[in-house]
Amino acid sequence: MNHPPSPTTGIDASEEPVYTWRPTPEQVERANVTRLASTHGIDGIEALRKASVHDVGWYWDAVVRDLDLRFRAPYSEVLDVGRGISHPDWFIGGSLNIVDSCLTRWTAEAASAGRAAIVHETEDGRVTSMTYAELEEQVTRAAAGLRRLGVRRGDAVALFLPMIPEAAVTVYAVARLGAVIVPLFSGFAPTAIASRLQDADVKVVVTADGTVRRRRTLGLLPLLAEALVDCPTVTSVVVVDNVEAASEESVRQHGTSVVSWVDLIDSDPAEGGEVAEMGADDVLLLAYTSGTTGRPKGAVHTHAGFLVKTASEVAYSFDVSAGDVFCWVTDMGWIMGPLSIIGTHANGATLLLYEGSPDVPDLGRLWQLVQRHRVTMLGVSPTLIRTLRLTEAVAEIPDLSSVRTLGSTGEPWDPDSYEWLARDLFGGRVPVINFSGGTEVGGSFLAPYPVEEIRSCSLGGPSLGMDVDVVDDSGASIRGEVGELVCRQPWPAMTRGVWKDEERYQEAYWSTFPGMWRHGDYALVEGGQWFIRGRSDDVMNVAGKRLAPAEIEAVLVTHPAVSEAAAVGVPDETKGEAVWAFWVPRPDAEADVSEELREMVAREVGKPFAPSLVRRVERLPKTRSQKIMRRAVRAAALGIDPGDLAGAENPEAIDEIRAAVADD
């Protein structure tokens, strides 16, 4: 049974949701977050949520102690906001390095040193693995090699790599030296690569010759070579011979020295020196976000802040412990790449890296991956699941009994896809931890926990330690209607600014509501549950009524001919904005059902919100993590510049949308 959204909430408020996950007493008792609450005499997740924001300093100190995160010098105070809420100081006086908590603590004992730290599978099925002891040795050798190339404390090292073991090794090797990690999306074009290398003043780039995706070999080295024309600060490039895809001569011709990965790690570990002791607020990484205009924004994350936040996300939201297997289909260029690496290893678990497309050779590939490696926490995106729903028709589902938690982020769910995954495929036995945050957050703002009831498509409530709220245009709290998502207190992984651009930092996050972080998402709190309704700049204003794209899309994808859809707002003289919709057919759909879809929206959401244009297309522009790029859809539909498309996996889809509109 389908339950389309109401025009104001995106859920049918007239009846109970089709599906609600309810934990068993055993699941509640064994959860990591229950241990944390019980240690402090707190009963239940809601009481813990309240306590965590009543005194955020107390909460984040409790996290450090519960997860045994390692500080070399203890901090004297958890939080100081003397410089203002937009410039907090955390763990004052404390020193550390992330390798202490993610590697050294596990290699100190034989049992954990021999545990798998990384398992890597390629698209063609080749599997390699690395224990914690082997990972630490590789990290020490790589750090020594980078030191030979002149990398010192504070220097920037970029990672232009697919999800391969060398990506994790490089993260820790750079951190070990006290240098700054700059992860880049492996699908970036030369211009996007160059803009980030320039902004960060990168000294060394670690890359691979190429990767394989959808059975096609994609060269990374030629793209980097073209970018280096405009990047004079780059002195050396380290190349992982991953697929034997390209020659290194294209890089050398720019006067840049080239070192093979094999030669880099063929180093005396002693040459790497001691692990750098870093201040709690020293920079760990620059995570770049793409803007619609202007240069990308470099979100600044620190050793202590990023470690504490990501470790807590993996431990409490995803309920991962030592010996578990964590897998998220992502890329180093998205925040989930670094979060997966550091958060997983801070908890002593195994990180499964998959290099390739999750639907090759067929739509059952992801489930086969789960069975083969006994994955306990699986991260997906709603768009990926909408595609994989077709699995029912093409493959027998493997054994998924190892999975205890499902993770999701990046975009709103539609009820049909959510319930197919949670209720039908997994039999209602595991929670969907649908969390929302972002690059600048260093994790989540909102997340359910595996110890509470979770309604279909819900984000549960505020993440622990996150004093979030939904407000109207005046900054007043609202419930039962859509408003802006804000945060009223700082948190450890909050970006410490936009790299080299204080004005842009203040304008982006602090200028709309003084004293509150404005995240740029529209959200709804209803019945005690939280829902994201899309980015503020995606939300449409139709005849004075705010309408999120997800509310239209949730109706469109209930049609049996539709596999996925995107709705955007376009200028309209009468309504202010009108809705245009684009849909992708399922493989067996032949007829153009565009008119039926328009009528469905009129019937289920309301006639004023019926799309004035509905078009069938063969694909929608997406990121590598399968998020639909609505900004690019809207720009293509209007025939205007789509802005930065560096994160698009299939930019050719934009031409299809232009053509579909031109046929009008």
Side-chain angles (χ1 to χ4, degrees), residues 637-648:
L638 294 175
I640 60 178
D641 182 3
D644 185 2
L645 296 176

Side-chain angles (χ1 to χ4, degrees), residues 141-162:
R141 289 181 177 276
L146 290 172
R147 180 178 286 276
R148 287 205 319 270
L149 295 178
V151 175
R152 297 292 184 267
R153 187 187 188 107
D155 289 337
V157 178
L159 286 68
F160 185 47
L161 291 164

Side-chain angles (χ1 to χ4, degrees), residues 475-521:
S477 293
I478 55 174
R479 296 295 183 264
E481 58 183 291
V482 174
E484 289 270 8
L485 184 68
V486 299
C487 195
R488 297 181 179 275
Q489 296 188 72
W491 63 99
M494 183 179 84
T495 178
R496 300 311 162 86
V498 173
W499 186 246
K500 299 190 297 187
D501 198 336
E502 171 66 14
E503 182 179 350
R504 196 176 185 193
Y505 170 62
Q506 294 291 340
E507 173 64 27
Y509 307 111
W510 301 101
S511 62
T512 304
F513 303 106
M516 290 188 285
W517 170 290
R518 172 189 174 270
H519 192 53
D521 280 339

Side-chain angles (χ1 to χ4, degrees), residues 120-128 354 365 372-373:
H120 172 239
E121 181 168 324
T122 61
E123 195 174 82
D124 63 5
R126 289 178 291 115
V127 177
T128 58
Y354 176 64
R365 178 59 182 271
R372 187 156 49 249
H373 299 288

Side-chain angles (χ1 to χ4, degrees), residues 631-655:
R631 168 178 57 83
V633 172
R634 183 178 187 275
L638 294 175
I640 60 178
D641 182 3
D644 185 2
L645 296 176
E649 180 183 35
N650 57 341
E652 67 276 5
I654 293 172
D655 292 332

Side-chain angles (χ1 to χ4, degrees), residues 4-228:
S6 70
T8 57
T9 68
I11 60 174
D12 187 347
S14 65
E15 58 182 290
E16 284 296 308
V18 174
Y19 173 78
T20 299
W21 184 80
R22 295 179 174 87
T24 66
E26 293 76 18
Q27 287 171 317
V28 173
E29 183 179 0
R30 76 182 184 209
N32 291 330
V33 74
T34 298
R35 179 192 66 237
L36 174 67
S38 299
T39 298
H40 297 278
I42 297 172
D43 184 18
I45 189 64
E46 281 307 314
L48 184 58
R49 277 192 173 105
K50 291 178 182 177
S52 74
V53 296
H54 175 72
D55 185 344
V56 293
W58 164 83
Y59 172 72
W60 292 110
D61 178 62
V63 169
V64 170
R65 298 179 188 281
D66 181 65
L67 299 181
D68 193 21
L69 301 175
R70 305 301 172 88
F71 278 74
R72 297 188 172 194
Y75 44 87
S76 59
E77 187 179 358
V78 179
L79 173 63
D80 181 355
V81 292
R83 296 191 298 139
I85 190 174
S86 62
H87 290 290
D89 294 307
W90 285 92
F91 306 108
I92 293 88
S95 66
L96 74 164
N97 191 298
I98 64 164
V99 301
D100 298 334
S101 291
C102 297
L103 297 180
T104 310
R105 65 188 296 198
W106 307 116
T107 58
E109 298 182 8
S112 51
R115 183 188 303 143
I118 295 173
V119 176
H120 172 239
E121 181 168 324
T122 61
E123 195 174 82
D124 63 5
R126 289 178 291 115
V127 177
T128 58
S129 63
M130 188 181 297
T131 66
Y132 271 91
E134 291 167 338
L135 175 58
E136 185 177 50
E137 181 183 5
Q138 289 265 308
V139 167
T140 305
R141 289 181 177 276
L146 290 172
R147 180 178 286 276
R148 287 205 319 270
L149 295 178
V151 175
R152 297 292 184 267
R153 187 187 188 107
D155 289 337
V157 178
L159 286 68
F160 185 47
L161 291 164
M163 295 303 282
I164 56 179
E166 290 84 356
V169 173
T170 304
V171 163
Y172 293 125
V174 176
R176 191 182 193 279
L177 293 171
V180 178
I181 305 160
V182 183
L184 303 176
F185 171 49
S186 63
F188 275 153
T191 301
I193 299 168
S195 65
R196 289 154 176 82
L197 298 182
Q198 292 163 357
D199 191 67
D201 296 320
V202 166
K203 187 170 188 176
V204 173
V205 181
V206 181
T207 188
D209 55 352
T211 187
V212 174
R213 189 168 177 84
R214 300 190 188 281
R215 299 189 179 94
R216 292 190 299 122
T217 298
L218 307 174
L220 300 182
L221 210 52
L223 301 174
L224 177 61
E226 187 175 338
L228 290 177

Side-chain angles (χ1 to χ4, degrees), residues 353-374:
L353 300 174
Y354 176 64
E355 181 189 3
S357 175
D359 58 359
V360 174
D362 55 47
L363 294 177
R365 178 59 182 271
L366 184 64
W367 316 128
Q368 293 157 8
L369 198 70
V370 168
Q371 175 180 269
R372 187 156 49 249
H373 299 288
R374 304 303 294 163

Side-chain angles (χ1 to χ4, degrees), residues 193-420:
I193 299 168
S195 65
R196 289 154 176 82
L197 298 182
Q198 292 163 357
D199 191 67
D201 296 320
V202 166
K203 187 170 188 176
V204 173
V205 181
V206 181
T207 188
D209 55 352
T211 187
V212 174
R213 189 168 177 84
R214 300 190 188 281
R215 299 189 179 94
R216 292 190 299 122
T217 298
L218 307 174
L220 300 182
L221 210 52
L223 301 174
L224 177 61
E226 187 175 338
L228 290 177
V229 174
D230 299 316
C231 300
T233 63
V234 177
T235 60
S236 301
V237 172
V238 179
V239 182
V240 178
D241 186 5
N242 192 44
V243 293
E244 299 180 355
S247 167
E248 299 171 358
E249 290 305 315
S250 57
V251 175
R252 285 196 177 94
Q253 68 183 5
H254 301 301
T256 306
S257 70
V258 178
V259 179
S260 74
W261 178 265
V262 172
D263 288 341
L264 183 83
I265 62 173
D266 186 20
S267 306
D268 180 353
E271 295 181 14
E274 295 296 322
V275 175
E277 186 168 341
M278 308 300 292
D281 276 344
D282 282 346
V283 179
L284 170 68
L285 68 86
L286 301 180
Y288 279 90
T289 64
S290 297
T292 53
T293 60
R295 73 179 194 277
K297 296 182 295 186
V300 180
H301 290 294
T302 64
H303 272 259
F306 198 73
L307 170 67
V308 174
K309 176 65 169 168
T310 58
S312 70
E313 303 277 44
V314 173
Y316 305 139
S317 294
F318 303 126
D319 202 36
V320 171
S321 300
D324 287 339
V325 179
F326 182 105
C327 177
W328 203 296
V329 181
T330 186
D331 188 274
M332 279 306 299
W334 309 141
I335 199 65
M336 284 309 304
L339 185 153
S340 296
I341 293 171
I342 295 171
T344 298
H345 292 148
N347 286 282
T350 299
L351 176 64
L352 174 60
L353 300 174
Y354 176 64
E355 181 189 3
S357 175
D359 58 359
V360 174
D362 55 47
L363 294 177
R365 178 59 182 271
L366 184 64
W367 316 128
Q368 293 157 8
L369 198 70
V370 168
Q371 175 180 269
R372 187 156 49 249
H373 299 288
R374 304 303 294 163
V375 171
T376 56
M377 206 307 296
L378 177 66
V380 298
S381 70
T383 298
L384 176 60
I385 294 305
R386 282 190 279 272
T387 300
L388 296 184
R389 281 180 67 188
L390 302 176
T391 304
E392 296 173 295
V394 300
E396 182 178 344
I397 302 297
D399 176 15
L400 304 178
S401 60
S402 64
V403 177
R404 295 200 317 271
T405 311
L406 293 163
S408 165
T409 191
E411 57 183 327
W413 279 93
D414 64 278
D416 278 4
S417 299
Y418 183 103
E419 291 160 17
W420 174 81

